Amino acid sequence: MIPHGVRLEPRKGVPLKNGIVRLPGPEPVSAPQTFAPLKKNAGPSRIIAAAEKAGIVDESDGMPLGKKLSRLARRGPGLLIARCFDEDPCTSSARAVFREDAEKVAAGLKLAARACGAEEKRLAVASRGEARRLRGLRLGIPAVVAGRRYPAGILLMRKLCRNGGRAAFLGAQACAALADAAREGKPQSETVVTVAGDGVRRPVNCRVRIGTPVEKVLRLAKPEEDVRIAAVGSAVAGRTVRDLSLPVTAATRCVIALRDAPPERRYPCIRCGRCARACPAGVIPWLVYRELESGDPDPLLFFHAGDCAGCRACNAVCPSGIDLAAEVRRAAARKEGGEG
Ligand code: SF4
Ligand code: SF4
């Protein structure tokens, strides 16, 4: 069997033993609105209402948690998984949150599972070592180990749903925020962000108020003077921002500081097939690209382009520097629009 995904080059990340550093301020204009904590046996609708009142956003997909739980309740997720691992080598915010308070993440996952009627729960962790540590904590939720290949989330989901089962991910931070909302009636006002990359001297995991400018978060990690660009969300599939005054959101899992934009290079496709082997969605990016470049593309040959998950694993492996993810997205749009 071909192992899909890609092994990304290891990079110097943030040592987890350093914990999470708090970045103070900015103070909110008005005091955050707290609300009545939940009773111990609160039912699904009250849990969903608490997620809505707390304004929780799931950092794994940027969706409001209340809306996501309502949707899951309608389709029945089967298995609900807290995502306590990070996919790219620069980021460790999910692992740091899990290390800091695994009990809180587990409590939030239990509430979320009750809210949407999930039959099973799992804590997805980064390594066997983390799984052993979890067993020692006796939280009553089994671990599942995400592999080391990128994109680990999609690959794990495929493995767990191989026999037709249904499963859904929740971010570790969203789970912890749900536990806070239920226990203390506390709104989500902060998020944990990894600040790393070749443009900082002191990579760090920091807890910051949502809305803090990216620039201020970067300063905490002692940036080099020539940092002009940052990747926000993920080192592989995140978006690059040049305007560092933009605010951190609940979905900002990392800020990767770059001393310069990666060099633009694009050579002809050499048909090495790496992009097809890396793709977790069964797309054959080089074929899609060839078809688009032909000048008279046949949408029937855009093999599975509509299944693209946007992970950019194909870009990460392509030795010719082709932006295959963008090409596949373009092909999917053409197919959907019925354009030839
Ligand atoms: S990885 Fe790049 S060079 Fe190799 S087949 Fe795919 S598009 Fe072509
Ligand atoms: S971006 Fe799309 S085509 Fe490329 S590897 Fe990911 S799922 Fe496959």
Side-chain angles (χ1 to χ4, degrees), residues 268-275 286 317-320 322 324:
C269 169
I270 55 168
R271 307 232 182 132
C272 63
R274 287 187 205 169
C275 52
W286 69 266
V317 292
C318 179
S320 296
I322 301 169
L324 292 156

Side-chain angles (χ1 to χ4, degrees), residues 289-339:
Y289 174 62
R290 191 187 66 178
E291 200 49 31
L292 279 170
E293 292 286 287
S294 71
D296 184 21
D298 177 357
L300 290 176
L301 295 178
F302 289 159
F303 305 91
H304 303 292
D307 296 336
C308 172
C311 66
R312 296 202 206 170
C314 48
N315 287 22
V317 292
C318 179
S320 296
I322 301 169
D323 187 353
L324 292 156
E327 300 290 347
V328 173
R329 212 170 40 239
R330 191 153 69 94
R334 288 183 83 129
K335 200 172 176 184
E336 190 146 340
E339 288 176 59

Side-chain angles (χ1 to χ4, degrees), residues 191-229:
T191 188
V192 175
V193 178
T194 299
V195 193
D198 67 1
V200 296
R201 278 167 279 158
R202 196 185 73 147
V204 66
N205 277 311
C206 56
R207 188 178 295 281
V208 302
R209 190 169 282 286
I210 292 166
T212 305
V214 167
E215 193 174 22
K216 191 167 177 200
V217 178
L218 260 179
R219 273 209 297 274
L220 190 67
K222 301 203 180 301
E224 304 286 356
E225 273 165 19
D226 50 356
V227 168
R228 279 191 295 278
I229 187 167

Side-chain angles (χ1 to χ4, degrees), residues 127-148:
S127 63
R128 292 209 171 99
E130 288 284 357
R132 270 197 301 280
R133 197 179 75 83
L134 178 62
R135 275 198 293 278
L137 297 175
R138 300 183 191 284
L139 298 173
I141 303 180
V144 58
V145 179
R148 286 179 187 275

